[in-house]
């Protein structure tokens, strides 16, 4: 299976798992600052969100794998959820959730621009045991959304749009006629 196909499967599994637990999921039509999905609790004025990057990796034909995350993406409102395909069983037990504070503990690339997480077929279940996607993790995601600094997240998204509407100028002319 190609990496991009597995990435789509991971995104769908992650989206499904979050929605089953009443976390609203939006799929942005952009891939900016790692936002594969946006997780929300409400769609109303002042709605808060967190950015989720979905990763899918296969250990069926590989003994080891890794993921990299740009250091620029990582804020307290950024979450990575990793789906590992290890056998034919598609289960949430093969999904692992990492929050900003977790990601900042990963090894940095030699350039310092990426965080890297390596794992093997024989060690990932033990290595990621405290990150298994479960109700407790979803509760933590919900708390993260509630406590998020929205200004900081919007700044990390990096783009904006502003439109000014200026009324047409009003010209006033005055004059006088002389010599008639």
């Amino acid at each position: 299976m190609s990496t991009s196909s597995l990435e789509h499967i991971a995104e769908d599994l992650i989206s499904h798992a979050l929605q089953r637990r009443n976390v609203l999921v939006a799929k942005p039509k952009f891939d900016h600052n790692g936002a594969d999905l946006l997780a929300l609790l409400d769609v109303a004025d002042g709605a808060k969100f967190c950015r989720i990057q979905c990763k899918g990796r296969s250990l069926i034909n590989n003994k080891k794998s890794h993921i990299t995350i740009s250091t620029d993406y990582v804020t307290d409102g950024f979450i990575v959820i990793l789906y590992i395909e290890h056998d034919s069983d598609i289960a949430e037990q093969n999904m692992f959730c990492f929050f900003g504070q977790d990601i900042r503990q990963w090894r940095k690339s030699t350039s310092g621009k990426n965080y890297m997480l390596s794992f093997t077929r024989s060690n990932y279940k033990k290595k990621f045991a405290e990150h298994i996607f479960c109700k407790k993790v979803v509760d933590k995601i919900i708390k993260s959304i509630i406590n998020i600094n929205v200004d900081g997240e919007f700044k990390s998204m990096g783009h904006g749009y502003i439109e000014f509407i200026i009324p047409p100028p009003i010209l006033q002319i005055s004059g006088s006629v002389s010599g008639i």
Side-chain angles (χ1 to χ4, degrees):
M1 179 180 304
S2 75
T3 303
S4 70
S5 294
L6 188 55
E7 296 286 343
H8 291 295
I9 290 169
E11 194 173 284
D12 289 344
L13 287 170
I14 292 162
S15 179
H16 171 75
L18 289 167
Q19 290 178 84
R20 278 185 40 217
R21 291 174 174 87
N22 299 315
V23 176
L24 303 175
V25 176
K27 171 67 176 148
K29 290 191 177 270
F30 56 82
D31 185 2
H32 188 70
N33 285 348
D36 293 326
L37 300 173
L38 299 177
L40 307 107
L41 301 177
D42 194 9
V43 184
D45 288 344
K48 294 181 175 187
F49 67 94
C50 66
R51 293 173 293 129
I52 297 178
Q53 184 160 92
C54 304
K55 294 288 189 179
R57 294 294 183 268
S58 178
L59 292 175
I60 292 175
N61 296 318
N62 304 305
K63 289 184 180 181
K64 61 183 179 177
S65 190
H66 72 280
I67 58 174
T68 59
I69 304 295
S70 171
T71 56
D72 293 339
Y73 296 172
V74 183
T75 65
D76 289 336
F78 180 76
I79 297 170
V80 171
I81 302 178
L82 168 64
Y83 169 69
I84 297 177
E85 180 184 61
H86 180 191
D87 48 32
S88 61
D89 195 22
I90 296 178
E92 286 181 9
Q93 290 78 20
N94 288 355
M95 289 180 10
F96 306 91
C97 186
F98 304 92
F99 294 84
Q101 63 190 15
D102 302 319
I103 299 165
R104 288 188 283 271
Q105 302 301 310
W106 297 356
R107 181 173 54 96
K108 277 194 177 180
S109 64
T110 53
S111 68
K113 294 183 179 186
N114 294 303
Y115 292 109
M116 299 173 55
L117 180 66
S118 300
F119 51 94
T120 66
R121 188 184 307 162
S122 62
N123 79 357
Y124 82 92
K125 286 188 179 186
K126 185 175 182 179
K127 186 174 184 176
F128 302 153
E130 66 183 61
H131 300 282
I132 291 174
F133 188 92
C134 60
K135 182 182 179 331
K136 183 174 90 175
V137 167
V138 174
D139 291 343
K140 191 173 175 182
I141 291 171
I142 290 169
K143 285 179 187 174
S144 293
I145 295 169
I146 291 168
N147 295 324
I148 198 74
N149 176 356
V150 178
D151 290 338
E153 284 308 298
F154 278 119
K155 285 178 187 169
S156 76
M157 296 297 282
H159 293 293
Y161 175 79
I162 191 165
E163 182 176 330
F164 289 101
I165 298 174
I166 301 173
I170 299 173
L171 301 174
Q172 199 172 30
I173 300 176
S174 63
S176 61
V177 179
S178 62
I180 300 188

